[in-house]
Amino acid sequence: MNSPQMFVFRRLVSQQTLLALSHLLEQMSAQFGQEASLWTEQTLFQDHQDFPDNPSEIDYWRLLISPQLNVLLLGKFIVHQSLYQISLTWDSQTIQDLLTQLAQERTLSQHLPLLTPFSNSWTAVNHFFHLLLDLLVDDSRETPASLSPPTSLYHPIEEALRQQVEQERLLNQVVTQIHQSLDLSQVLKTAVTEVRNFLGVDRLLIYQFKFNSSVTDSTPHSLTRKATITYEARASQLIPSMLHLSPEEDCFVCIPFYQEKYRQGTVVAVENAETEYSSSFCLAELLRQNHVKSLLIAPIIVDEQLWGLIIAHQCFKIRQWLESEKGFLGHIGEHLAIAIQQAQLYQQVQQQKNNFEKRVIECTEELKNTIAVAQSAHLSKSEFLSNISHELLTPLTCVIGLAGTLLHWSGEQSSLSPEKQKKYIESIQANGKKLMDLINDILDYSSLTSGNYQLRIREFSLYSVASAVMGDFQEEAQKKSIELVLDFQVKKEEIKFYADPDRVQQIISHLMNNAIKFTPEGGRVTLRIWREKNQVFFQIEDTGIGITQDQLPLLFEKFQQLESSRQRTHGGTGLGLALTKQLVELHRGTIEVESTPHEGSLFTVRLPNSINLKTKRNFTADENNLINTNPNNTIILISKDEETATLICELLTVNNYQVIWLVDSYPGIRQIEILHPLIVILDQENSQSEEIVKALKQFSKTSFIKVLVLRKSLKAISWQSLAKKGIDDYLIKPIDPTLLLRKVSFLASIAAHEDKV
């Protein structure tokens, strides 16, 4: 039976000493009480014979099992020496391996006992070995010279045993810490310090590799570029530190397949580093600079990958490494691998736990927000129903009351003067019109949100629309002593515009009505209109009560009024601005607001020219119309933001556009000229965008190309500046997919027409 296990002590003893060892195990078993059991060859195997009638053919067995100490004693009679070769081991894993191997050779009497690895108590081990040392030393003095091995074999017995006991103690300490601590850094720090002290080396370090899945056996040194010394223990400050040192790749080129050797678990002992590594100038120089004379290297293998090396250095003299030292360092490497794997698993569990907790928090927050939105929507709808009831009831009461009065006093005997009758009829007409406007708002919003609303695009005069709006509100403004100002900045040749004139007038009317409603007496409301190429801007400015910053996000929400007191004071359904925003976006436009409390508000509406000379078709809210059908469908995107670029490319590609994504803008101009796209989308700083636009607009072949810029935010005044420099439209990030497709579809149709012209 070949069992070259660690922690197996062997020597020749007399029969008397063998019986004394057996008696020692019996004493230990009795000392440990009922928790201990003593197994013999009779209890373990069936093919036994009574000891010692035929000692030349049998083995002698004693196995002590207890929570404090596990010890296996094996004895075989050596005929020509009349002595017994004993094997004594106290390592639980080694005992289990020996029993398993013997069970395959002999017939079991009963099931093998199952031992728990690393279950020995250091106190019990220490006590047992003190008794064992006394017994073996006495045996070495009393054994007859003619029957014993040479005296020189017994001289180091006590020292060898003490060394093995110390190894067991140190291993127990490392293993205990592995089981008790999940702090890998602390485990490794303790290990290098304790192992250095035990081996008595000048420096002990851990050389850690960064795992790279691309490493193959044909490239054994490919990991060294990422390998670093991560832990170190030194005997004194006189020894130079190698902590955080990363040797160069070239240092290991001369050592073929060196990592593969360590992956197989080989422990390497180098007595003379200068001679061993003479073929590598880099490695030899590295070791010389750090005073390394001898090395002992053991691998740390985690999940069949070489995680690192634990390396012992002798710095001031050459050292011959003992087999026990090699075995000990190899065993330490195995246990450190367990600690590392355990720490990695714990880290994964913690990461999963943190991700789960984060997701739970996010879901809880989302649920809270959903509930809040639902509650807000319910409250808003309740308020809307209350508001609309009030808004409808007031004019209805007036209409019914006045109509009843007229009916009562009708006829020849009427005492109502013609003037009063006319006044009543005018009031009935005004309130009837107000009712119609309220109902139309509700019907329009319902139609818009359902996606069934259709714009009637045609040519109209911007001045006519502006004049009509000003006329509609002139009387109401006079009642509140509000000054109405029309600032019409459109040139005569640019007055004609393509859009839905009724809806454009409705947009302006809603904003004007809102401005007059919230402007106190003596204030001023200005309607400002100007053109920038294919776009028109409507700006409504008032000197009213203004809006706070925290209320601005709610401004365009349906059924919303910012304060209940405003509702009671100023009236309204809460649909006006929501409807306005829908109408603006249906025209592929934008609406923005700037406001200061107690100073006033500024609403800016931008609408693109919706001309399409080829088909003169109407634009609808049906999203199917966003799909591109132009033969030239090339769009160039210039952006360094991978996430945004990926989203845009996928959206446009699905809608039949050919998208070319450029990361750098410098070669962009030349490529734009060659590719001849319809649209260029720029996700860059203003200066870079302006430079590209300038280059495109100065050549007739590229002047038709439309430019769409992406911005995180953009104020009206900033957009005016960009528009004057030739930029056709903009989009605010994060990207709204529907709005992106609308803008791109519109710009593409305009660019295709201008390219042909």
Side-chain angles (χ1 to χ4, degrees):
M1 180 181 64
N2 183 22
S3 300
Q5 302 286 339
M6 185 102 181
F7 305 120
V8 178
F9 174 73
R10 296 184 178 87
R11 67 162 292 183
L12 294 174
V13 299
S14 63
Q15 178 179 332
Q16 180 180 356
T17 300
L18 180 61
L19 294 175
L21 288 172
S22 178
H23 181 63
L24 175 59
L25 295 184
E26 292 172 0
Q27 285 181 323
M28 298 297 293
S29 177
Q31 180 179 339
F32 295 144
Q34 295 182 352
E35 294 180 339
S37 59
L38 189 65
W39 300 62
T40 66
E41 67 276 4
Q42 286 86 357
T43 58
L44 281 173
F45 302 105
Q46 293 178 355
D47 58 343
H48 65 271
Q49 300 183 34
D50 294 335
F51 174 83
D53 293 344
N54 192 4
S56 62
E57 297 180 0
I58 69 164
D59 289 324
Y60 183 75
W61 293 82
R62 287 294 184 271
L63 173 60
L64 172 63
I65 299 177
S66 72
Q68 297 86 0
L69 177 67
N70 298 318
V71 179
L72 174 63
L73 172 65
L74 304 177
K76 179 174 285 291
F77 186 68
I78 308 300
V79 178
H80 67 279
Q81 292 181 333
S82 298
L83 293 174
Y84 289 89
Q85 173 69 53
I86 66 165
S87 297
L88 190 67
T89 180
W90 58 92
D91 179 68
S92 299
Q93 189 61 54
T94 303
I95 294 172
Q96 194 71 60
D97 294 343
L98 286 169
L99 291 177
T100 302
Q101 184 174 348
L102 287 166
Q104 297 172 357
E105 300 174 3
R106 306 178 67 169
T107 305
L108 285 174
S109 176
Q110 55 180 288
H111 290 297
L112 283 173
L114 184 62
L115 281 67
T116 303
F118 322 122
S119 60
N120 291 341
S121 163
W122 163 240
T123 303
V125 172
N126 190 39
H127 176 64
F128 172 74
F129 275 99
H130 273 91
L131 298 175
L132 179 63
L133 283 172
D134 293 340
L135 191 151
L136 292 178
V137 170
D138 290 342
D139 175 71
S140 65
R141 293 170 181 167
E142 296 174 2
T143 303
S146 60
L147 299 178
S148 62
T151 307
S152 59
L153 293 179
Y154 292 101
H155 184 70
I157 288 177
E158 184 173 355
E159 182 60 32
L161 274 174
R162 290 190 187 279
Q163 186 179 29
Q164 289 199 18
V165 171
E166 181 63 18
Q167 288 182 1
E168 174 73 5
R169 182 197 68 78
L170 182 57
L171 264 182
N172 272 339
Q173 179 177 337
V174 173
V175 171
T176 299
Q177 188 169 21
I178 290 173
H179 284 275
Q180 293 180 348
S181 174
L182 292 171
D183 185 349
L184 180 60
S185 177
Q186 188 59 42
V187 170
L188 295 176
K189 285 179 182 178
T190 302
V192 295
T193 301
E194 294 292 335
V195 173
R196 194 210 66 76
N197 290 337
F198 173 74
L199 290 177
V201 294
D202 296 323
R203 179 171 49 222
L204 191 128
L205 51 85
I206 289 180
Y207 185 56
Q208 183 179 345
F209 297 107
K210 300 297 182 183
F211 175 69
N212 186 345
S213 59
S214 64
V215 175
T216 62
D217 293 339
S218 62
T219 57
H221 60 278
S222 58
L223 280 177
T224 56
R225 212 174 295 145
K226 297 182 179 180
T228 307
I229 296 171
T230 53
Y231 296 90
E232 177 188 68
R234 293 176 290 160
S236 73
Q237 296 297 323
L238 298 176
I239 299 171
S241 173
M242 298 182 69
L243 193 61
H244 307 309
L245 183 66
S246 297
E248 296 179 6
E249 177 185 359
D250 295 342
C251 293
F252 300 90
V253 173
C254 64
I255 311 174
F257 302 100
Y258 86 98
Q259 289 191 29
E260 183 59 30
K261 175 174 59 178
Y262 289 121
R263 285 194 196 99
Q264 295 173 0
T266 306
V267 177
V268 176
V270 178
E271 294 182 2
N272 191 325
E274 184 177 355
T275 303
E276 182 73 17
Y277 301 118
S278 59
S279 59
S280 172
F281 174 79
C282 174
L283 184 56
E285 183 63 20
L286 176 67
L287 297 176
R288 186 191 65 77
Q289 290 178 359
N290 291 279
H291 309 300
V292 180
K293 301 293 184 182
S294 301
L295 302 91
L296 184 61
I297 309 169
I300 303 173
I301 302 172
V302 179
D303 290 334
E304 299 182 355
Q305 295 290 337
L306 184 60
W307 183 90
L309 304 172
I310 180 168
I311 307 173
H313 286 167
Q314 203 67 34
C315 296
F316 300 110
K317 61 180 180 180
I318 292 175
R319 176 168 173 170
Q320 293 183 344
W321 304 101
L322 303 177
E323 288 297 320
S324 61
E325 293 171 336
K326 293 171 60 178
F328 172 72
L329 195 64
H331 221 52
I332 290 291
E334 293 171 2
H335 289 302
L336 289 181
I338 295 173
I340 293 164
Q341 191 170 26
Q342 179 176 286
Q344 290 176 345
L345 290 173
Y346 176 74
Q347 187 177 10
Q348 292 175 7
V349 170
Q350 285 297 109
Q351 184 64 41
Q352 292 175 357
K353 175 176 172 288
N354 293 338
N355 291 341
F356 178 74
E357 289 177 350
K358 182 179 178 182
R359 184 57 187 152
V360 168
I361 293 172
E362 290 175 351
C363 289
T364 304
E365 193 64 29
E366 289 174 5
L367 182 59
K368 287 181 180 179
N369 293 338
T370 302
I371 293 173
V373 169
Q375 291 174 340
S376 176
H378 177 72
L379 181 61
S380 298
K381 289 182 180 180
S382 299
E383 290 179 353
F384 168 72
L385 291 174
S386 176
N387 294 346
I388 197 65
S389 299
H390 174 76
E391 291 296 313
L392 292 173
L393 186 61
T394 301
L396 272 174
T397 301
C398 182
V399 168
I400 294 171
L402 292 176
T405 302
L406 286 172
L407 182 63
H408 178 75
W409 295 103
S410 63
E412 295 180 0
Q413 302 299 324
S414 174
S415 62
L416 288 176
S417 64
E419 292 78 11
K420 277 193 175 182
Q421 292 182 32
K422 181 181 179 183
K423 185 176 181 181
Y424 287 172
I425 293 171
E426 288 175 347
S427 182
I428 290 172
Q429 185 183 33
N431 281 279
K433 184 178 181 299
K434 185 176 181 181
L435 281 172
M436 183 178 291
D437 290 341
L438 288 172
I439 294 170
N440 283 336
D441 280 353
I442 296 171
L443 293 175
D444 285 346
Y445 190 83
S446 175
S447 180
L448 281 167
T449 53
S450 66
N452 297 321
Y453 193 86
Q454 181 172 339
L455 293 176
R456 290 179 287 276
I457 304 297
R458 61 183 186 274
E459 188 180 52
F460 66 96
S461 168
L462 291 172
Y463 186 78
S464 296
V465 169
S467 299
V469 172
M470 294 297 287
D472 290 342
F473 289 96
Q474 193 67 47
E475 183 178 352
E476 185 177 352
Q478 288 176 355
K479 289 180 181 179
K480 295 182 65 175
S481 300
I482 293 174
E483 180 187 1
L484 280 188
V485 178
L486 175 60
D487 183 7
F488 193 78
Q489 303 175 9
V490 181
K491 297 177 182 178
K492 186 176 181 180
E493 61 271 17
E494 295 181 341
I495 286 180
K496 298 299 182 181
F497 195 76
Y498 278 89
D500 186 331
D502 296 332
R503 296 312 168 196
V504 171
Q505 184 170 339
Q506 189 177 0
I507 290 169
I508 303 173
S509 295
H510 275 302
L511 294 175
M512 288 290 290
N513 180 62
N514 201 63
I516 293 173
K517 183 189 299 184
F518 294 107
T519 299
E521 292 185 3
R524 184 177 66 257
V525 174
T526 302
L527 171 59
R528 190 176 296 110
I529 305 175
W530 74 91
R531 285 281 301 265
E532 291 181 6
K533 295 187 177 179
N534 286 315
Q535 299 174 106
V536 64
F537 289 82
F538 302 96
Q539 201 169 69
I540 294 85
E541 184 177 9
D542 64 62
T543 58
I545 60 178
I547 308 163
T548 60
Q549 290 298 315
D550 59 327
Q551 292 175 326
L552 285 177
L554 301 174
L555 195 61
F556 297 103
E557 293 294 322
K558 59 184 177 181
F559 310 137
Q560 287 284 348
Q561 283 215 337
L562 301 184
E563 295 176 3
S564 58
S565 61
R566 291 190 179 189
Q567 160 63 28
R568 291 192 295 269
T569 305
H570 304 285
T573 63
L575 282 179
L577 289 178
L579 177 59
T580 300
K581 184 173 186 290
Q582 291 280 349
L583 289 172
V584 168
E585 291 182 349
L586 192 58
H587 278 86
R588 279 73 171 175
T590 59
I591 182 170
E592 295 179 350
V593 59
E594 300 175 26
S595 185
T596 304
H598 311 298
E599 293 184 11
S601 303
L602 177 68
F603 287 82
T604 304
V605 174
R606 180 190 61 84
L607 298 180
N609 199 350
S610 299
I611 186 173
N612 189 330
L613 297 179
K614 182 178 180 181
T615 63
K616 292 288 185 73
R617 66 176 178 84
N618 291 339
F619 290 89
T620 72
D622 186 356
E623 294 304 328
N624 291 330
N625 287 329
L626 299 177
I627 298 178
N628 172 53
T629 57
N630 289 323
N632 177 13
N633 59 355
T634 303
I635 296 176
I636 290 180
L637 168 64
I638 302 178
S639 174
K640 293 182 180 180
D641 185 349
E642 183 177 356
E643 184 176 349
T644 300
T646 302
L647 173 62
I648 292 174
C649 289
E650 290 179 354
L651 284 171
L652 296 181
T653 301
V654 168
N655 285 272
N656 298 332
Y657 292 98
Q658 180 182 356
V659 186
I660 299 172
W661 174 21
L662 304 178
V663 176
D664 194 352
S665 62
Y666 291 106
I669 299 298
R670 181 57 182 162
Q671 295 187 40
I672 291 171
E673 292 177 0
I674 296 172
L675 296 171
H676 206 66
L678 287 177
I679 302 173
V680 175
I681 302 176
L682 302 176
D683 184 12
Q684 296 179 304
E685 296 179 357
N686 284 346
S687 58
Q688 294 174 315
S689 300
E690 292 169 7
E691 190 176 324
I692 292 176
V693 172
K694 183 178 179 181
L696 292 177
K697 299 302 180 182
Q698 66 182 355
F699 297 108
S700 58
K701 291 184 178 180
T702 58
S703 61
F704 72 91
I705 297 174
K706 301 302 173 186
V707 179
L708 174 69
V709 297
L710 306 182
R711 292 290 182 269
K712 291 182 179 179
S713 63
L714 191 65
K715 292 186 177 181
I717 189 169
S718 300
W719 165 240
Q720 293 173 24
S721 174
L722 291 175
K724 289 177 181 177
K725 294 177 181 177
I727 294 174
D728 300 281
D729 208 339
Y730 70 93
L731 198 60
I732 301 299
K733 296 194 293 185
I735 301 299
D736 181 342
T738 301
L739 194 54
L740 170 68
L741 293 175
R742 284 177 178 173
K743 289 178 179 287
V744 167
S745 176
F746 176 73
L747 291 176
S749 64
I750 299 297
H753 168 70
E754 292 181 356
D755 186 24
K756 291 180 180 180
V757 174

